[in-house]
Amino acid sequence: MSAPSKFGNQVPFCEPYWYQGFHSPYYTENHKRFRATLRKFVEEELKPNVDKWIKEGYPKELHKRAAEIGLQGFLVPSEYGGNRPADFDTFYELIACDELARSGGGNVLGQLAINSMALPPILRAGSEEMKKRVIQPVVRGEKNICLAISEPYAGSDVANIRTTARREGEFYIVNGLKKWITGGLMGDYFTTAVRTGEEGSGMAGISVLLIERDMPGVSIRKMETQFDNAHNTTFIELQDVKVPVANLIGEENAGFMLLLTNFNHERFVLSAAASRAARVCYEEAFMYALERETFGKKLISHQIIRYKLAEMARQIEALHDNLERVCYQFSKGVSDFALGGQCAMLKVQASRTYEYCAREASQIFGGNSIIKEGKGKIVERLYREVRMTAIPGGSEEILLDFTMRQAAARANKLRQSKL
């Protein structure tokens, strides 16, 4: 591991501990160089344009710029057009999610995260022809891919999706609705959950198809969201869409487990971004408290304000430690399936920490946090984005229940083995 060094804001807790001269067993000089590249990109090319792009949407050409600096393809092996580092581990992804989230909300470059969630099923189970056809243009920033799983009647309840794919010769005929699909207006491909089994077949009847935007019968419209969105959230209608059987990802009726393991990566990505968003709330509030005066003294001089900041910092540091713990397990090859409960609890910790920090930062900013301009505009924006972490990828309630159901199943299995 590399020697400790300092990077970024040195006010305590405004950056992760290893940015502020503390030792870490995880990061190398290559990690630091990657971090520096992303910091420069965010500071010079993203942050100055956030307000504009929230109104207009960020340009798709930004994906090609991201590809130029290695941000599009660092997760992908070179044989499929990627630029995965020779020493690649999951800490590269943690750094990427963390640094990009410094842009201060608005979901700028949000498609990169979606690409990273929608490509893994193809990398794991797609045909070689599909991998070469789809992955390379996505990595180059020329095309994009989205996850199309949730439906108006099935969000977290993936086993009960209703979108059907009926086999007719060399095609599947797909009919159904997909809701809350992030990035749909940019998507050229959709990693889509469909029902190929009989009605009522539950998880045993789920398959995954690659649906392409230009296939007749695909209709996409934007949905307005609670949060500012330089990206997009969409509603997709699929009406008699003819999808070649060659676009099946993995085996027919075996898609549920493929999606289930993919959710763990999604929850990790969401948690990493939420961790930095919470830290941005802390940073904004701390710096404001240093300069704002009330009742004849600086805000930071009030004990209750220091308490709020301390509690924010405590939760943020605990969350970051948890992130690194899960990240280390991924890096050591622990399976997605084995990390299901850990990733579920991590995401709940992330969304609750983010929500707490957004609220407390808002309280510190007072009236400045309820207007979309001035010193409190970033906190105002981030507060409205909290639900984007707490609900997508599995709501807090669903994830906590999942964790204990998985634990109970394991406990029962252990008990039976002793009988």
Side-chain angles (χ1 to χ4, degrees):
M1 298 298 103
S2 64
S5 59
K6 295 182 179 181
F7 182 86
N9 189 341
Q10 293 304 298
V11 172
F13 313 114
C14 287
E15 304 276 11
Y17 70 96
W18 67 283
Y19 287 46
Q20 298 190 328
F22 291 98
H23 291 269
S24 170
Y26 303 122
Y27 304 99
T28 66
E29 291 300 320
N30 287 339
H31 287 126
K32 291 181 179 180
R33 282 189 284 272
F34 185 63
R35 177 186 64 181
T37 297
L38 298 188
R39 178 65 62 105
K40 185 174 187 293
F41 175 61
V42 170
E43 288 294 323
E44 296 180 2
E45 302 185 46
L46 299 190
K47 290 177 75 172
N49 295 301
V50 169
D51 290 344
K52 174 186 175 183
W53 288 339
I54 284 173
K55 296 175 182 177
E56 304 173 0
Y58 77 83
K60 290 180 70 173
E61 291 72 25
L62 197 59
H63 297 153
K64 292 183 179 179
R65 175 64 184 135
E68 289 174 5
I69 65 170
L71 185 54
Q72 278 274 27
F74 74 93
L75 296 173
V76 178
S78 59
E79 59 262 38
Y80 302 118
N83 56 288
R84 179 182 287 178
D87 62 344
F88 175 80
D89 58 20
T90 313
F91 287 95
Y92 278 96
E93 187 167 22
L94 174 56
I95 292 168
C97 294
D98 182 79
E99 286 294 326
L100 287 175
R102 290 187 62 260
S103 60
N107 212 11
V108 172
L109 263 186
Q111 188 62 44
L112 266 64
I114 299 303
N115 288 344
S116 79
M117 297 173 192
L119 280 179
I122 295 176
L123 279 165
R124 287 194 186 101
S127 66
E128 283 302 309
E129 182 277 330
M130 183 187 296
K131 290 176 183 177
K132 293 176 181 177
R133 172 165 54 96
V134 174
I135 297 175
Q136 292 186 14
V138 171
V139 168
R140 292 194 297 264
E142 298 167 359
K143 293 193 175 184
N144 295 293
I145 185 168
C146 303
L147 279 174
I149 299 173
S150 298
E151 301 181 353
Y153 15 72
S156 297
D157 189 11
V158 178
N160 287 311
I161 63 166
R162 300 183 189 177
T163 296
T164 60
R166 186 182 72 256
R167 178 81 180 258
E168 289 189 2
E170 293 304 305
F171 292 91
Y172 289 103
I173 309 301
V174 180
N175 284 280
L177 304 172
K178 295 294 178 181
K179 192 175 183 180
W180 308 290
I181 306 308
T182 306
L185 295 184
M186 287 187 173
D188 299 285
Y189 306 106
F190 297 87
T191 302
T192 310
V194 298
R195 180 164 301 286
T196 46
E198 296 297 323
E199 183 177 352
S201 56
M203 66 181 70
I206 304 297
S207 298
V208 182
L209 290 178
L210 180 71
I211 294 181
E212 300 172 40
R213 182 190 190 88
D214 57 3
M215 290 177 172
V218 177
S219 176
I220 306 170
R221 67 172 176 84
K222 183 177 181 178
M223 302 175 71
E224 297 300 330
T225 58
Q226 177 186 44
F227 49 88
D228 288 337
N229 203 348
H231 195 207
N232 58 84
T233 299
T234 61
F235 189 94
I236 300 178
E237 296 182 56
L238 304 167
Q239 297 182 327
D240 294 326
V241 182
K242 290 181 66 176
V243 181
V245 170
N247 279 25
L248 178 67
I249 302 173
E251 298 180 9
E252 188 175 283
N253 295 329
F256 185 80
M257 290 306 298
L258 186 61
L259 296 172
L260 189 64
T261 55
N262 199 58
F263 285 146
N264 292 329
H265 173 254
E266 178 181 0
R267 289 161 188 161
F268 174 77
V269 168
L270 289 168
S271 300
S275 177
R276 174 58 81 164
R279 199 180 293 275
V280 169
C281 289
Y282 166 84
E283 181 181 12
E284 291 288 316
F286 193 103
M287 304 312 290
Y288 183 73
L290 290 177
E291 65 177 54
R292 173 71 168 172
E293 288 191 7
T294 62
F295 304 104
K297 57 183 179 180
K298 302 291 187 184
L299 273 180
I300 197 69
S301 298
H302 294 279
Q303 185 181 35
I304 188 60
I305 299 300
R306 295 195 300 272
Y307 169 81
K308 288 178 181 292
L309 291 167
E311 185 63 15
M312 291 163 71
R314 181 187 68 79
Q315 294 190 31
I316 291 166
E317 292 302 291
L319 170 59
H320 192 81
D321 285 350
N322 197 0
L323 267 169
E324 289 187 328
R325 180 172 59 82
V326 172
C327 189
Y328 183 71
Q329 302 309 310
F330 275 125
S331 294
K332 287 299 181 180
V334 177
S335 70
D336 283 71
F337 184 77
L339 286 170
Q342 297 293 326
C343 289
M345 289 196 297
L346 173 65
K347 182 178 174 291
V348 174
Q349 184 185 8
S351 61
R352 291 187 174 176
T353 299
Y354 181 11
E355 183 164 21
Y356 179 85
C357 291
R359 182 192 186 280
E360 293 301 272
S362 182
Q363 291 299 107
I364 291 171
F365 270 95
N368 281 325
S369 72
I370 60 173
I371 54 176
K372 298 182 180 182
E373 61 180 61
K375 294 181 178 180
K377 70 177 183 181
I378 291 178
V379 169
E380 187 278 333
R381 181 183 299 149
L382 290 174
Y383 204 166
R384 286 184 289 110
E385 290 191 6
V386 169
R387 303 260 65 78
M388 188 172 67
T389 298
I391 296 173
S395 68
E396 294 173 351
E397 295 78 7
I398 290 290
L399 294 182
L400 291 174
D401 179 62
F402 162 76
T403 301
M404 286 302 103
R405 283 191 290 109
Q406 190 179 65
R410 175 64 174 160
N412 286 327
K413 186 175 181 180
L414 289 171
R415 289 182 64 194
Q416 289 297 322
S417 67
K418 295 177 180 179
L419 296 178

